[in-house]
Amino acid sequence: MTSHQATLPGTPGRWATLNGTHHRAALNAFLVIVLAHWAEHLVQAYQIWGLGWSRPEARGVLGMPFPWLVSSEWLHYGYAILMLVGLWMLRPGFVGRSRSWWTAALAIQFWHHIEHLLLLLQAQTGRHLFDSPVPTSLLQVVIPRVELHLFYNTVVFVPMVIAMYLHLRPSAAETRLMSCSCRPPEAAAQPA
């Protein structure tokens, strides 16, 4: 058993290797998913503000050939869950300052997930908050949906990026605590 697996009591071997030998690869895969989602939102924003399209016309990249994707609350909720699970599952690999930033992203994403759960429940039941004709999240009362989701993606993404930056550039004390594949090579050769 590696030292990292020992720090994850009750976790199965695959879970421990996700935050050990496969942490860097898992972070990279997760980042690709996050960036693809960002691209969708940025394209939609460009369609609205750069091209002058109406909001119903601005459907992002995938929404152009598949218009139902934009209005599918299941898709949006599924992505919110994917983000939440990804942040939670990858958290044990972080130490020190990077763990604090990753935890901040996780906490914000948890709230974002709650907002999407409210939207999904309204779409499923047909009962909308605030007598709105469409499913409406709590903050959507004061911020339009496109802008709100750009805001949510930003406030989750920024602490994620800071966490990853700090994780890949750990202090000497943090390096000694690390046992994942992200640990700097020169530190891995030194005794802990």
Side-chain angles (χ1 to χ4, degrees):
M1 178 181 286
T2 68
S3 62
H4 187 72
Q5 288 171 322
T7 64
L8 299 170
T11 57
R14 288 186 188 152
W15 181 276
T17 60
L18 177 69
N19 287 287
T21 56
H22 300 299
H23 198 239
R24 182 180 291 266
L27 282 174
N28 287 337
F30 187 60
L31 187 58
V32 166
I33 293 167
V34 170
L35 291 175
H37 185 244
W38 252 117
E40 282 292 328
H41 281 283
L42 292 176
V43 167
Q44 184 183 35
Y46 177 73
Q47 290 169 337
I48 293 169
W49 298 304
L51 299 176
W53 294 6
S54 70
R55 287 173 187 258
E57 290 176 307
R59 297 187 298 260
V61 176
L62 292 176
M64 295 309 291
F66 308 106
W68 61 269
L69 284 175
V70 176
S71 59
S72 169
E73 292 301 342
W74 276 108
L75 176 77
H76 295 288
Y77 181 71
Y79 180 76
I81 285 287
L82 177 69
M83 279 291 295
L84 187 63
V85 169
L87 288 164
W88 179 68
M89 287 178 63
L90 293 168
R91 185 173 174 264
F94 288 87
V95 298
R97 299 166 301 157
S98 66
R99 186 176 178 102
S100 298
W101 283 100
W102 195 262
T103 301
L106 175 63
I108 297 165
Q109 182 59 30
F110 180 76
W111 172 253
H112 187 189
H113 149 265
I114 295 296
E115 290 270 82
H116 276 292
L117 179 60
L118 286 172
L119 291 167
L120 178 64
L121 291 173
Q122 291 172 69
Q124 295 305 302
T125 64
R127 301 183 66 126
H128 303 155
L129 295 177
F130 315 111
D131 295 323
S132 173
V134 295
T136 305
S137 67
L138 297 177
L139 290 181
Q140 199 175 330
V141 173
V142 291
I143 304 171
R145 187 165 179 159
V146 171
E147 290 84 347
L148 179 60
H149 283 88
L150 284 172
F151 170 75
Y152 274 136
N153 284 307
T154 301
V155 298
V156 171
F157 187 68
V158 168
M160 272 181 59
V161 169
I162 294 170
M164 291 175 84
Y165 178 85
L166 293 171
H167 185 64
L168 297 174
R169 289 158 187 78
S171 68
E174 291 166 338
T175 300
R176 286 189 292 277
L177 296 172
M178 290 176 75
S179 56
C180 72
S181 56
C182 303
R183 186 174 183 183
E186 64 277 1
Q190 299 172 358

